[in-house]
Amino acid sequence: MSQPDTLVAQTRLTLERIARDFSPAVFASSLAAEDMVLTDLILKARLPIGIFSLETGRLHPETLAMLDQVKERYSYEIALYRPQPEAVDAYVAAHGLNGFYDSVELRRECCRIRKVEPLSRALFGNKAWVTGQRRAQSSTRSSLLVEEDDPAHFMTKFNPLADWSEQDIWDYIRANNVPYNELHDQGYPSIGCAPCTRAIQPGEDVRAGRWWWENPESKECGLHLVDGKLIRIKSVAA
């Protein structure tokens, strides 16, 4: 078995174990390349792992178009979780629509309203959640584990693609004709909200286009943070 085949087989086993031993479980999809790989693996195997996405209200049209592509390709409708309108209105009234450019604190508050709070609702009642995070994505994810304890949400968190490289992701997408966000062909290896994401230059880190005006150490939205620290408190991996 080649290295890519081994990775795929290991990931399938991880997903099967999640479905078997951690039900109910959900997969938080950003609709980016990594998440489309997991979507393909979950839905082709008909695993009982729900898939949801955080519709922040600031996503690219190309990202939103992926929802229809998933529905057409897999006959599956991804559940959407949106921010509380009153919280968005209060933030905009106090700081302006794009106040997140003014400081890391204001940017994280915007992420909290548009992503972190909806995530809590999406995860509620589940035993585990699955992400598309990979170690190779950034310095903040270099110690990522496949299986972790998530004390913030009182559940287990899985990163089945932790060992995958960028090349592994695209090899799988091409080999399996997996639909993907067309922004990836326009220099966007990592895609978040439209005003917080730009295309990168050759040689830049794959997440250099995310919150490009900040230092690399601050480039997390809070979905994987507790009190400013990455949620990797305790490994529960075998």
Side-chain angles (χ1 to χ4, degrees):
M1 218 185 261
S2 68
Q3 177 67 8
D5 289 341
T6 300
L7 278 175
V8 172
Q10 290 173 342
T11 302
R12 284 197 179 108
L13 287 174
T14 297
L15 292 171
E16 288 168 2
R17 186 166 71 86
I18 294 167
R20 181 183 67 245
D21 299 338
F22 293 86
S23 180
V26 286
F27 165 42
S29 172
S30 70
L31 305 168
E34 291 85 0
D35 297 322
M36 292 309 301
V37 169
L38 286 174
T39 296
D40 189 76
L41 289 168
I42 290 169
L43 295 183
K44 278 184 177 176
R46 299 189 178 185
L47 296 174
I49 298 174
I51 304 176
F52 72 86
S53 191
L54 304 177
E55 211 293 68
T56 65
R58 303 300 302 270
L59 299 180
H60 297 83
E62 293 88 346
T63 300
L64 293 173
M66 293 305 302
L67 297 167
D68 289 334
Q69 290 200 48
V70 170
K71 187 174 182 179
E72 180 178 349
R73 174 68 177 274
Y74 304 100
S75 299
Y76 184 90
E77 191 159 351
I78 291 177
L80 296 180
Y81 286 81
R82 296 179 172 87
Q84 301 287 1
E86 60 274 15
V88 173
D89 291 344
Y91 180 94
V92 172
H95 309 294
L97 181 63
N98 296 325
F100 45 80
Y101 290 129
D102 295 339
S103 70
V104 172
E105 291 71 27
L106 285 179
R107 195 272 296 165
R108 284 180 174 163
E109 176 61 9
C110 185
C111 288
R112 185 193 68 78
I113 292 168
R114 294 184 182 273
K115 299 172 78 173
V116 178
E117 189 279 329
L119 175 73
S120 295
R121 282 186 274 122
L123 295 181
F124 183 77
N126 290 283
K127 290 184 179 179
W129 66 301
V130 180
T131 87
Q133 292 188 108
R134 297 183 294 108
R135 293 190 196 101
Q137 286 173 324
S138 70
S139 60
T140 61
R141 298 180 178 181
S142 60
S143 60
L144 189 70
L145 300 169
V146 170
E147 182 178 346
E148 304 172 324
D149 183 40
D150 181 351
H153 300 104
F154 305 100
M155 60 175 55
T156 305
K157 176 176 161 189
F158 288 90
N159 310 296
L161 303 181
D163 297 325
W164 289 49
S165 68
E166 190 82 358
Q167 187 65 51
D168 294 328
I169 294 296
W170 286 102
D171 285 348
Y172 182 93
I173 286 174
R174 294 184 180 105
N176 294 276
N177 194 28
V178 176
Y180 65 87
N181 193 323
E182 65 182 58
L183 288 175
H184 289 307
D185 291 334
Q186 300 173 32
Y188 290 76
S190 180
I191 304 168
C193 290
C196 297
T197 311
R198 66 162 173 80
I200 67 169
Q201 300 300 315
E204 282 191 297
D205 182 88
V206 295
R207 282 174 64 85
R210 302 291 297 277
W211 309 296
W212 67 91
W213 64 94
E214 295 182 10
N215 293 324
E217 293 76 16
S218 70
K219 291 187 177 185
E220 288 289 350
C221 60
L223 295 182
H224 311 288
L225 295 169
V226 173
D227 296 331
K229 296 181 180 180
L230 289 174
I231 302 175
R232 283 167 209 143
I233 308 302
K234 173 185 175 185
S235 168
V236 291

